[in-house]
Amino acid sequence: MTVLPIAGSHDSGPISHPIRRRMITSGVFWLGLGLLLFLVLFSFLGPRYYQKDVNTVNVARALLPPSWTFPLGTDVLGENELGRLMIGGQVPIIAGFVAALAATVLGGCIGIVAGLRGKTSDVIAMRTADAILGVPQVVAIVVAETIFHIGSTVTIIAFVLTAWPVTARLVRAETISLRIQPFVEAAHATGTRWMGLIWRHILPNLIDSFVATFTTQFTNAILVFAVTSFIGAGLGPPWNWATMINANKDALLSGQWWLIVLPGLLFAVLVTAVYLLGESIRSAFDPHTDHRGG
Amino acid sequence: MRGVGLYLLGRVMQGLLVLIFVSMLTFLALNFLPVYAPSNAMGTVASGVVSEPAFIHLALPVQYLRWITGLLAPKNLKTVLALTVPTLALLTISGAISLVVALTLASIQARFRGRLIDRMLGTLAYALYTLPAFWVGLMLLWVFADVLLWLPATGPQPVPSTGLFDWPMHMILPVATMVITTVASWANQFRSAMEAALVSDYVRTARAKGVHEGRILRRHVLRPASLPVITAVGMSLPTMFNNLVGVEVVFVMSGLGGAITGMIGELQYGVSGYLVLAIAAITFAGSLFADVLYAMADPRIQFAG
C-alpha cells in the first residue's frame, strides 16, 4: 500500500505533529538535550569504566597538576579529580530531578484544586503559599536538618515543602484562565465529572506550564542543593560538586584553581542544559514564537 | 494617602500574625527535637545527677511565653542583633546597588532590543545566573585577594577591630558577589517589564510627538515598568538569602547566614530559635516594603486587598 507523493502534502507520521516538529528542528532543543545527556552519561556511566583512585587517600600525591595518569590532577587528599567529578554529578542530577518532580506534582495538584474549586480552598491554599514563599529554602533545609537529621531525604522534603508555592501559583492562574473558557463551561454543563474535566480539558492545556515550571524547579533545586552541600548540610553519599568545592577551597591559594573552577562550571553546564531543554519544549508549545531561527 | 496607611496597617497585622505563627512552629520544633540529649527549646538544667529539659514542669504555652520573652533578655538580644546587623547591611547595600545596575542593564537592553548588545547582555546575565553564588564569591576572592592582592580576603571581622576605612574594603567582595548573582536573576525580569512598556501606545504617541528617546525611557517607561520590578524585587528576598548564606560562609562573615550554617549538627538551642525568627522578620519586612511601594505606585492595589 503505497502513498502517492503529492506535491505539498505532508507525511502523517509521528514527526509531522507541529509541536514535535518544532522541538526536533530547534537547535536549542538538541543543544540542551545533548548537554544533559553528556552530563548524565558522564556522571553515571563514567564511573563504571573509570575508577582509578577515586576514593583512595594518598596525601603524598595530593594536588598534582594534570598529567597522563591523572587527566585533571589530584585533589587535596590525593584522589583522582576527574573520577571524583564524574561521581560528583550524580547527586545534583538525581536529587534535583526528584525534588523538582515532587515540587511540581505537589504544587500542580494544589494549584489545580485551588483553581477549580475556588472560594475557601483557593484562599487557604494561596495564603499558605504566600506565607511559605517568604521562606528561604536554604534556611528551611538547615532548620529541618537541625531538627531531624542530616541527609538527602530531609533535604529534599524540606525543599519540596518550600518550593511548591511557586508552581501552585502558576498552575492556579492557568487553571482559572482555562476554567472560564467556553469549552470547559460546556463540558461542565453537559455533566462531565471533575476528574474528566481535569483529565481531558485542563491538563492537556497545562502541559507547557508544567514543563516550564518543572524546569524552573529543577534549576532552583540544583542551585539550592549546591549551597546546602557547600555549607555541609549533607546531601547523602556520595559527595557532589559542591562538597568538592568546599573541600578544595584552600587549593585556590596553592594554585590548583581548576579544582574549584571545574565543579562550578559543571554546575553551570547542568543548569544551562536543563534550562535550554525546558525553554525549547516550552516555546515549541507556543504558536506565537518565531520557530524558523531554531 | 490615607488609603495607603490603612492598607499598610492591614498588611502589618497580617505579617505579625504570620510571624507569631512561625515563632510557635519554631518553638514546637525545637522543643521536640528527637535527639539523644534530653533538652528542649529552653536548654537543660542540672537536677540532681542528670540534666533534664529546663522548665519541663511548666505547661507548654507558658514555656512558649518564656521563650519568646527570652528574646528580650539583653544577652540574647545582643547576640541576635550582632548577627543581624552585618547581614542586613550586606542585604541592603547589595540590594540597592543591584537595583541600579539591573535597571541600567534593562534600559540598555530595552532601548537596543534585538541588537547585538541586547543579546550579549542577556547571555551574560543568564550565564551568571547559572553559577552558584558561593562559587562566584570564591572566584572573586581568588582573583582579587589572591592573584591581584588588591582586596582583603574576608568580609568585615569584628575582632581585631578594623579601622574606619577597612570596613568598606572588606565589604567590596561580598557585596560584589551578591550584586552579580542578584542582577543575574533580576536582569531578565526587568528587561521584559521595560520591553512591555516600550511597545505600548503611549510610548508610541510620545515618539510620534518627537520626544527624545532617553526622555521616553525615563518618564514613560520607567514608571509602568516599576510595578513588575517591585514585584520581582520583593519576591527575590528568599533567593537573596539563599545566596547570602553561601557568601557569608565564603567570606567568613559573622552574620545570620554564617550562624545558620553553624546550626547544622550542633544543636545550639540558645539563640538558634531567635535566629530563625530574625530571618523570618527580615523576609517579612522585605515583602512589606515591596507592598508599600506597590501600593504607592498603583493605588488600585489597596482596594483589591
Side-chain angles (χ1 to χ4, degrees), chain A residues 101-255:
Chain A
L101 193 63
T104 310
V105 168
L106 181 62
C109 291
I110 296 184
I112 292 183
V113 168
L116 279 183
R117 292 189 53 128
K119 304 237 178 90
T120 10
S121 45
D122 187 12
V123 169
I124 297 179
M126 284 304 112
R127 290 292 179 215
T128 325
D130 283 337
I132 296 183
L133 268 181
V135 178
Q137 275 110 351
V138 171
V139 174
I141 291 178
V142 170
V143 170
E145 295 209 336
T146 319
I147 296 177
F148 299 103
H149 62 89
I150 301 182
S152 319
T153 332
V154 173
T155 311
I156 294 184
I157 294 183
F159 176 83
V160 171
L161 286 179
T162 39
W164 67 260
V166 175
T167 305
R169 295 231 304 213
L170 189 73
V171 170
R172 169 186 170 271
E174 293 268 341
T175 313
I176 291 185
S177 73
L178 277 178
R179 181 185 69 180
I180 58 182
Q181 300 253 5
F183 68 92
V184 175
E185 278 194 38
H188 189 43
T190 54
T192 322
R193 320 223 41 145
W194 281 116
M195 276 315 289
L197 266 184
I198 296 179
W199 203 245
R200 268 207 223 100
H201 298 284
I202 307 238
L203 272 187
N205 291 299
L206 285 178
I207 290 187
D208 64 328
S209 309
F210 268 111
V211 168
T213 180
F214 175 75
T215 313
T216 320
Q217 297 282 19
F218 200 161
T219 51
N220 262 347
I222 295 172
L223 291 173
V224 166
F225 290 157
V227 178
T228 58
S229 308
F230 178 70
I231 62 179
L235 201 57
W239 61 89
N240 63 64
W241 293 325
T243 52
M244 288 169 69
I245 297 182
N246 189 25
N248 293 329
K249 60 180 189 275
D250 300 313
L252 275 182
L253 290 160
S254 43

Side-chain angles (χ1 to χ4, degrees), chain B residues 277-292:
Chain B
L277 271 190
I279 296 178
I282 292 182
T283 319
F284 163 67
S287 69
L288 181 70
F289 185 59
D291 272 347
V292 169

Side-chain angles (χ1 to χ4, degrees), chain A residues 133-134 136-139 142-143 146-147 150 169 223 226-227 230-231 233 245 252-253 257 260-261 264 268 271-272 275, chain B residues 29 33-34 126 129-132 134-135 138-139 142 146 235 238 241-242 245 249-250 260-261 263-264 267 276 279 283:
Chain A
L133 268 181
Q137 275 110 351
V138 171
V139 174
V142 170
V143 170
T146 319
I147 296 177
I150 301 182
R169 295 231 304 213
L223 291 173
V227 178
F230 178 70
I231 62 179
I245 297 182
L252 275 182
L253 290 160
W257 50 270
I260 310 289
V261 173
V271 171
T272 311
Y275 173 76
Chain B
L33 272 159
Y126 175 69
Y129 173 73
T130 61
L131 296 169
F134 60 89
W135 188 84
L138 279 173
M139 290 293 110
W142 180 49
D146 229 22
M235 292 200 38
F241 218 93
N242 285 342
V245 172
V249 169
V250 164
I260 285 286
T261 313
M263 263 173 70
I264 302 176
L267 311 170
V276 174
I279 296 178
T283 319

